[in-house]
Each structure stands twice: as C-alpha cells, then as structure tokens.
Amino acid sequence: MATLLLQAAGAFLGGFLGPVGTAIGSAAGATAGYLVDRALINSTQHYTSGKLAGAVPFTAEDGAPIPRVYGAARIGGTMIWATRFEESRQTTRQGFKGGARVTTYSYFANVAFLLCEGEIAGLRRIWADGRELDQTLYEIRVYEGTEDQQPDPLIEAKQGTDNAPAYRGAAYVVFEHFPLSDYGNRIPQFQFEVLKPAGALHKQVRAVALIPGATEYGLSPDPITYAAQKGASEAVNRHVLTARSDLAASL
C-alpha cells in the first residue's frame, strides 16, 4: 500500500519538473514505499529456532544390576533420576530496527547416573556420544558410594528433604544444568572411566612426593598459557580435560 501511495505522490511532485521529474519522482516514491512496506511486514513476523515440540525421555531399566568394578574401567551409567528439561529462550531482531523477531530456544538437563557399587576412588574421564567432556565447563558432582554419603542438594531441592535418596553404597554422578544444544536437544549417551582400587593399600598412603620433571610449571595448580601465535594461546601445564591443570588432575 505504501509503495502505491508514495509512487503516486513522487510522480505528482516530480511533475512540476517535467516528464523527467515525473519519472524520477515515481521511482523514488516507489523505492521509499517498498522500504516502508518491508519494515511494516517484517515487524509483525516472528520466527522460532530450536523449539522442542516434545522430548523423548531417556529410558531407565527397573531392576537393572549394579556393576562391580575393580581397577580402572570404562562403563555406561544407568539413569536413576532426572527432571524435565529446563528451557531458555532469547529473542532478537534481524537486520535494522523493525526487522523480524527471532526467538532461539536452548535446553538444559538435570540428570543423575548410577555408576557401580561403591566405594570408588574417583571418576576420571567422561564421554558424551563418544567425545570426551571438558569437565571444567560443566557442573558435575561425583558421589563415591560411601555408606554415609548425603543426598545431592539438587535432588533434595527438587524432591524434598524427606524424599531424596542418598544412594548409600552406590557410586553415582549428577549433572546440573547440562546444555543439550550440541546433542540435538537430547541427553547424550554417557560413558565414565571409574577408578576403584582393590584392597586397602590406597588408604594407607599418607603423602606423595611430587617431582616436576621436565616441565617448568608442572607444580602450578592454575593453568599457565603462552601465545602460540597471534590471537591464539596454548596451555603448557594442562593436557587433560578432567581438571584445570595437570597437577589438579593428579591429586
């Protein structure tokens, strides 16, 4: 509508300058009207990206056996607790002012996986869909499966103080607010490297001598980086994804 009105107005005003003015005024009016129409139309358009119509639940098997692990083993966990996906959305406008609105949805999972019979020494590496996770980027809590371990605070907050199990005697891991955008907005297939020593020798160790060896920063608990090239840095004392530095990962 604005295109027709401004085209006619431009032709009328340009007519005072003769036939050439009429043509120029008509073209200028049509261009201005087109821009106005586009702004009006785009301002009413709204697109969505990544919205889940429905989530396929991660299955958990009732009565599944609890694995028993010795040494270091890579195992898959059994999901024992989860909440509905947390949804986050952000709305932006495309192009200049008055452009179409685009709402992008992101989803996060709160989930717990049972690992094996406790007590374990710890959890080393974690894989999601076959790719190792950088554990410093996520909120991950590991419970070693002691007989006096307390319920996880997130599970307790969701289920209630008297309804949250502690899973005593069973080692498990809890992921809080885990982003799902890299996994197609679904819970990925996790695998865990569990460490469980045999016997009681590990409990008798009281101290360990740390020798830096060939590295200058081997005893630094914080990551040390240097400029490998312009605009890029590289860590000199972090070669694992389980902690902030090699020293922190070894303790």
Side-chain angles (χ1 to χ4, degrees), residues 1 13 19-20 23 52-53 55-56 64 78 83 90 98 100 111 113-114 119 126 168 181 194 203 232 234-235 238:
M1 180 62 71
L13 295 176
V20 176
L52 280 181
V56 178
T78 301
T83 65
Q90 182 180 11
V111 61
F113 290 93
L114 185 138
E119 177 182 356
I126 302 175
R168 293 189 174 100
S181 57
V194 178
K203 296 183 178 180
E234 185 174 327
R238 186 180 189 237

Side-chain angles (χ1 to χ4, degrees), residues 41-245:
I41 293 173
N42 287 339
S43 63
T44 61
Q45 291 180 331
H46 188 191
Y47 302 97
T48 60
S49 174
K51 174 68 173 177
L52 280 181
V56 178
F58 199 98
T59 58
E61 182 181 354
D62 188 20
I66 299 177
R68 181 176 293 177
V69 172
Y70 295 99
R74 179 172 175 172
I75 61 175
T78 301
M79 191 183 72
I80 54 176
W81 179 84
T83 65
R84 293 180 180 273
F85 289 169
E86 296 179 358
E87 183 182 86
S88 173
R89 60 182 179 179
Q90 182 180 11
T91 301
T92 58
R93 284 196 179 274
Q94 288 185 334
F96 56 89
K97 184 177 180 180
R101 292 184 301 163
V102 178
T103 300
T104 302
Y105 290 84
S106 302
Y107 293 90
F108 303 85
N110 299 312
V111 61
F113 290 93
L114 185 138
L115 301 175
C116 63
E117 184 182 86
E119 177 182 356
I120 64 173
L123 186 64
R124 191 152 55 188
R125 291 179 291 178
I126 302 175
W127 295 268
D129 284 351
R131 292 182 299 174
E132 186 179 355
L133 289 181
D134 186 345
Q135 298 179 38
T136 62
L137 302 179
Y138 308 99
E139 183 67 29
I140 303 173
R141 292 184 293 276
V142 179
Y143 294 87
E144 298 177 351
T146 61
E147 294 298 336
D148 59 351
Q149 67 186 10
Q150 298 301 311
D152 181 78
L154 176 63
I155 298 178
E156 195 170 32
K158 296 292 186 180
Q159 303 297 130
T161 304
D162 298 329
N163 299 320
Y167 301 106
R168 293 189 174 100
Y172 70 102
V173 58
V174 177
F175 294 88
E176 181 175 349
H177 202 65
F178 184 82
L180 302 176
S181 57
D182 292 338
Y183 307 99
N185 288 330
R186 61 174 179 82
I187 298 176
Q189 293 291 333
F190 286 105
Q191 289 185 309
F192 309 91
E193 186 178 23
V194 178
L195 304 177
K196 184 178 181 181
L201 179 61
H202 66 287
K203 296 183 178 180
Q204 301 177 18
V205 177
R206 294 292 180 265
V208 176
L210 297 177
I211 303 176
T215 173
E216 182 178 358
Y217 305 102
L219 297 182
S220 173
D222 299 318
I224 306 298
T225 61
Y226 74 98
Q229 57 184 355
K230 188 175 181 179
S233 61
E234 185 174 327
V236 297
N237 66 333
R238 186 180 189 237
H239 301 87
V240 294
L241 299 178
T242 57
R244 299 178 65 247
S245 66

Side-chain angles (χ1 to χ4, degrees), residues 2-3 6-11 21-35:
T3 302
L6 293 181
Q7 183 179 13
T22 300
I24 295 175
S26 177
T31 301
Y34 171 77
L35 295 176

